[in-house]
Amino acid sequence: LNISHSKLIDYGTLSDRSDLLDIWFCKNCDFFISTGTGIDSVAAMFKKPILIVNLLPIAVMYSWINCITVPKKLFWSDGKELTLIEHLDNSFLKMHEYKEKRINIVDLDPDEIKSAVQEMIARLNGTLLTNKQIQDQNKFWSILEHHRLYNRYHGVRDPNASIGNFFLHSNPCFLS
């Protein structure tokens, strides 16, 4: 990270990382940023808000904790972006399955990750959602909850679990 701030530690670049420090940071952070690969479960245990970026597949998003999820972007080989339903219908755990379906995977760019972080900070500072954002969140959850995979991966839903609002705004076809 090319950021200089007294409250930001780019822990991934430190040479003296340890298991103890992993746990300490999870317990003492204001919020935790992850890609959903495991250590975020420790932060969840300490009831820390979590921002998950570049998650794939979206079907396995964290719905049971205070979390904002921003998935990777998926495009058909013709360049058309996949909708949420298409994301769910193509929820693969192995990369070769995406290739077989001719689906291109695109990581979030640095500005998109920055927008996700700003969204989490705004949430923690009590910024309220607009009516449009509330409608988009409701539509997202309605689509997800009615999909055949929902009961496989989800049970209890935390009222603060959400898909990134900036992601929905930047990808207007996602909910169509």
Side-chain angles (χ1 to χ4, degrees):
L1 297 172
N2 190 15
I3 300 170
S4 178
H5 191 281
S6 64
K7 291 198 173 230
L8 178 74
I9 299 168
D10 188 0
Y11 183 63
T13 63
L14 295 180
S15 60
D16 55 351
R17 294 181 307 225
S18 70
D19 293 343
L20 178 61
L21 275 178
D22 290 349
I23 304 302
W24 188 90
F25 276 118
C26 288
K27 181 177 183 339
N28 292 288
C29 66
D30 290 330
F31 69 96
F32 196 87
I33 304 171
S34 179
T35 57
T37 54
I39 188 68
D40 43 69
S41 296
V42 177
M45 180 182 70
F46 290 116
K47 300 194 181 302
K48 298 297 180 177
I50 298 176
L51 171 62
I52 302 287
V53 295
N54 278 322
L55 182 71
L56 189 65
I58 191 69
V60 300
M61 74 177 282
Y62 295 6
S63 60
W64 58 92
I65 57 174
N66 180 358
C67 183
I68 297 174
T69 300
V70 184
K72 290 182 185 250
K73 296 174 283 185
L74 300 179
F75 296 88
W76 296 109
S77 59
D78 66 2
K80 185 177 181 243
E81 183 180 359
L82 274 69
T83 65
L84 172 56
I85 291 172
E86 292 169 330
H87 266 256
L88 294 168
D89 288 344
N90 295 282
S91 290
F92 307 121
L93 299 175
K94 297 180 180 165
M95 289 301 169
H96 73 86
E97 294 173 293
Y98 289 96
K99 287 181 183 176
E100 288 171 5
K101 288 282 194 162
R102 303 189 69 202
I103 296 172
N104 298 317
I105 302 166
V106 177
D107 287 338
L108 300 170
D109 67 36
D111 287 333
E112 291 169 318
I113 294 171
K114 179 180 175 183
S115 292
V117 171
Q118 290 170 328
E119 184 174 334
M120 176 58 87
I121 292 168
R123 174 189 283 183
L124 296 175
N125 287 333
T127 301
L128 299 176
L129 298 180
T130 65
N131 286 337
K132 170 78 167 115
Q133 290 171 330
I134 292 168
Q135 289 171 354
D136 287 347
Q137 289 295 326
N138 289 339
K139 185 172 183 180
F140 170 81
W141 285 107
S142 177
I143 293 168
L144 181 59
E145 289 171 351
H146 288 91
H147 194 272
R148 63 179 168 73
L149 293 179
Y150 183 77
N151 289 330
R152 180 185 301 175
Y153 296 112
H154 306 278
V156 175
R157 188 175 112 200
D158 186 288
N160 293 310
S162 66
I163 186 84
N165 286 306
F166 94 88
F167 178 84
L168 295 178
H169 178 75
S170 301
N171 301 281
C173 295
F174 187 70
L175 293 177
S176 58

